[in-house]
Amino acid sequence: EDQVTQSPEALRLQEGESSSLNCSYTVSGLRGLFWYRQDPGKGPEFLFTLYSAGEEKEKERLKATLTKKESFLHITAPKPEDSATYLCAVQAHSGYALNFGKGTSLLVTP
Amino acid sequence: DSGVTQTPKHLITATGQRVTLRCSPRSGDLSVYWYQQSLDQGLQFLIQYYNGEERAKGNILERFSAQQFPDLHSELNLSSLELGDSALYFCASSVSGGTNEKLFFGSGTQLSVL
């Protein structure tokens, strides 16, 4: 069975304090790994898709990387507006639906 | 705004009742997904439709059913409701429901079963 585990569950950073969120996965053939951002009371919003080990993608202060067993979401010099829950999801060769982890709740304080 | 519309935003009902949640996908998207989000389980995939046909099934209870209509909107029906069904229900859509397509999520329906 496909499994996605995110850590830590919650993270509190000072503005400007860089850090990384982890997403470990076990899947029977990975089609793609997705990162989403979810703000309170809203639906998840797409950030990145990674397809193969070694791939990296960047968007503003966020950079996502992928290995054969895990993905990292690096946040460089975060700002309070980066506060949100970050969700990782995998799509396996066995199907089309995304299997989500439980997320990391990030709080960035001024 | 993702372009995916869900109604109602909030729903309060009693145990044993039946409710219907509605979703309109983004213009041009043929595939619709339903997810359930609770604090302890996270986002759980329920079911996917593509152009009116069921494509994939996840952890959907037998008390729950869904359909996608010719105009591509979708409805999720929840019956014999239990306290544990209280959760946030999201609809998402994608162009064709295939490989590596990003999903666009609606704002969700918050269901409270009392």
Side-chain angles (χ1 to χ4, degrees):
Chain A
E1 186 181 314
D2 302 339
Q3 282 201 332
V4 181
T5 304
Q6 293 189 246
S7 61
E9 286 185 19
L11 182 62
R12 183 182 180 123
L13 299 173
Q14 291 266 13
E15 184 172 2
E17 179 187 2
S18 302
S19 188
S20 296
L21 313 183
N22 177 263
C23 171
S24 298
Y25 64 91
T26 54
V27 63
S28 53
L30 180 72
R31 287 186 192 266
L33 185 139
F34 298 73
W35 282 98
Y36 281 79
R37 169 191 170 128
Q38 185 175 21
D39 291 298
K42 295 190 176 181
E45 181 183 343
F46 172 80
L47 292 174
F48 305 107
T49 308
L50 301 167
Y51 300 99
S52 57
E55 189 174 1
E56 299 183 352
K57 288 197 176 170
E58 287 188 66
K59 180 181 179 180
E60 296 179 359
R61 294 176 293 282
L62 301 176
K63 182 167 109 174
T65 61
L66 181 66
T67 72
K68 288 187 177 179
K69 293 183 178 180
E70 57 191 352
S71 176
F72 292 92
L73 185 64
H74 307 278
I75 304 176
T76 303
K79 298 182 177 182
E81 52 261 44
D82 294 322
S83 298
T85 295
Y86 291 86
L87 298 166
C88 168
V90 297
Q91 186 185 50
H93 281 290
S94 56
Y96 297 106
L98 298 187
N99 184 6
F100 282 84
K102 293 185 179 181
T104 293
S105 177
L106 174 66
L107 176 64
V108 182
T109 57
Chain B
D1 182 8
S2 68
V4 178
T5 304
Q6 288 188 249
T7 56
K9 287 188 72 66
H10 302 278
L11 201 47
I12 301 174
T13 188
T15 54
Q17 295 297 305
R18 172 189 169 96
V19 296
T20 298
L21 313 184
R22 182 187 169 102
C23 169
S24 294
R26 289 189 324 153
S27 176
D29 284 358
L30 298 178
S31 193
V32 169
Y33 307 75
W34 286 97
Y35 282 83
Q36 179 193 58
Q37 187 174 42
S38 60
L39 286 175
D40 56 339
Q41 293 294 321
L43 259 175
Q44 296 286 309
F45 168 65
L46 296 178
I47 198 164
Q48 178 196 5
Y49 280 83
Y50 170 72
N51 205 19
E53 299 290 326
E54 181 184 305
R55 171 168 275 188
K57 225 170 187 177
N59 301 320
I60 189 165
L61 299 173
E62 284 192 13
R63 300 183 286 108
F64 296 0
S65 65
Q67 54 184 326
Q68 186 179 26
F69 295 87
D71 67 352
L72 301 177
H73 91 271
S74 179
E75 292 181 355
L76 179 66
N77 300 295
L78 314 177
S79 62
S80 303
L81 285 167
E82 302 176 358
L83 295 177
D85 297 328
S86 296
L88 196 49
Y89 291 83
F90 285 106
C91 168
S93 72
S94 69
V95 174
S96 66
T99 304
N100 288 327
E101 281 194 341
K102 55 186 177 184
L103 272 57
F104 294 86
F105 283 81
S107 296
T109 293
Q110 179 67 61
L111 174 65
S112 298
V113 183
L114 305 178

